Amino acid sequence: MIFPRYFRLIQSWFPSNNWLVKLSLFHDKRGPVWATLKILTDTLKRHNINYAVVGGVAVHIHGYERLTNDCDILLAKADVKCFEENIVGTYVKPKFKGAKRKFVCNETKCPIDIIIEGEYPGKGEEVPVAFPSPRTSSQLIDGMWVITLVKLIELKLSSYKSLPGHRVKDKADVVELIVANNLKKPFADLLHPYVRSDYKDIIDLMEKEKLEIK
């Protein structure tokens, strides 16, 4: 962590798009991503739109403090129309002409990806694990509704299974979440059967490697 008193000095050394500056801002919960989350979640709340923070920010909130450059928001299917009528145009704009799921915050210019309840992670093809209802699969953390750890790991593993060559980062996120939250094999019982064995395989491999290192 970079102490605040050193931040301005470091910022003067590097251009504003330098990874070190971005990393410091993000870990301090400052910068465009967190500002966008604040604007968006407050606005969704005012309009009674059910949502959950997912993606890289959810991973960060659940203990693996990695950097991300955008906001991923899960919306309830029933609230999509309200989002389109009250949020799009006023607070966010389509990232490109005709975009229905990708937006940019009008104030911060931060990218926003919208995911709808019932859609599928990764490739997007139908599998047993789908994006759940934010009403029943989120918890309030720091004033924001965030996808639960169980559902986050389910979605990450399902995404990896659908595109193992392109979604290695999703598997890596699961590994880091296991470490950050000190998860053990019994946690698998909370997961959907579709990804349960994948989780156990990761735990087995991590335990084996730990013994080998010793």
Side-chain angles (χ1 to χ4, degrees), residues 35-51 79 82-83 86-87 90-92 107 143 145:
T36 302
L37 276 175
K38 176 65 174 173
I39 294 167
L40 195 54
T41 56
D42 284 353
T43 305
L44 293 171
K45 181 179 178 180
R46 285 200 304 273
H47 288 88
N48 296 313
I49 294 175
N50 291 282
Y51 75 91
D79 292 328
C82 184
F83 175 84
N86 295 282
I87 311 300
T90 305
Y91 299 95
V92 304
E107 186 169 334
W145 289 102

Side-chain angles (χ1 to χ4, degrees), residues 204-214:
D204 287 341
L205 185 58
M206 290 174 70
E207 291 179 350
K208 178 182 177 183
E209 291 176 347
K210 186 177 180 180
L211 289 172
E212 291 175 347
I213 291 171
K214 287 182 179 179

Side-chain angles (χ1 to χ4, degrees), residues 12 27 41 58 78 85 97 144-145 155 169 173 175 179 184 186:
S12 70
H27 285 329
T41 56
E85 292 177 348
K97 186 176 180 180
M144 298 183 293
W145 289 102
L155 291 164
K169 191 173 184 180
D173 282 343
V175 171
V179 173
K184 305 299 182 183

Side-chain angles (χ1 to χ4, degrees), residues 176-203:
E176 296 295 347
L177 287 169
I178 289 171
V179 173
N181 293 277
N182 195 28
L183 303 180
K184 305 299 182 183
K185 189 172 285 189
F187 185 83
D189 296 335
L190 303 175
L191 301 173
H192 192 285
Y194 178 65
V195 297
R196 194 172 292 160
S197 63
D198 301 275
Y199 174 86
K200 290 180 179 179
D201 288 344
I202 292 173
I203 292 289

Side-chain angles (χ1 to χ4, degrees), residues 27-198:
H27 285 329
D28 287 342
K29 293 189 176 181
R30 296 186 294 149
V33 172
W34 294 104
T36 302
L37 276 175
K38 176 65 174 173
I39 294 167
L40 195 54
T41 56
D42 284 353
T43 305
L44 293 171
K45 181 179 178 180
R46 285 200 304 273
H47 288 88
N48 296 313
I49 294 175
N50 291 282
Y51 75 91
V53 177
V54 293
V57 174
V59 171
H60 180 96
I61 290 172
H62 279 296
Y64 173 32
E65 298 183 344
R66 72 165 174 82
L67 183 65
T68 186
N69 295 315
D70 61 5
C71 300
D72 296 320
I73 302 293
L74 170 64
L75 295 184
K77 189 181 297 184
D79 292 328
V80 174
K81 184 176 181 181
C82 184
F83 175 84
E84 292 173 344
E85 292 177 348
N86 295 282
I87 311 300
V88 177
T90 305
Y91 299 95
V92 304
K93 62 182 179 182
K95 190 173 182 179
F96 51 86
K97 186 176 180 180
K100 299 294 185 182
R101 296 285 186 269
K102 294 186 177 295
F103 298 91
V104 176
C105 177
N106 287 342
E107 186 169 334
T108 66
K109 311 307 178 187
C110 179
I112 300 166
D113 283 354
I114 296 297
I115 302 158
I116 309 301
E117 168 193 355
E119 294 180 342
Y120 299 100
K123 194 183 295 185
E125 295 179 352
E126 184 174 353
V127 292
V129 172
F131 281 96
S133 166
R135 296 184 186 92
T136 58
S137 302
S138 62
Q139 61 187 112
L140 195 61
I141 303 176
D142 294 335
M144 298 183 293
W145 289 102
V146 182
I147 195 81
T148 63
L149 181 60
V150 170
K151 291 299 179 183
L152 179 60
I153 288 178
E154 281 183 357
L155 291 164
K156 287 286 181 179
L157 287 175
S158 182
S159 175
Y160 170 73
K161 282 171 68 102
S162 73
L163 289 168
H166 290 79
R167 305 306 293 263
V168 175
K169 191 173 184 180
D170 286 325
K171 186 176 182 179
D173 282 343
V174 172
V175 171
E176 296 295 347
L177 287 169
I178 289 171
V179 173
N181 293 277
N182 195 28
L183 303 180
K184 305 299 182 183
K185 189 172 285 189
F187 185 83
D189 296 335
L190 303 175
L191 301 173
H192 192 285
Y194 178 65
V195 297
R196 194 172 292 160
S197 63
D198 301 275

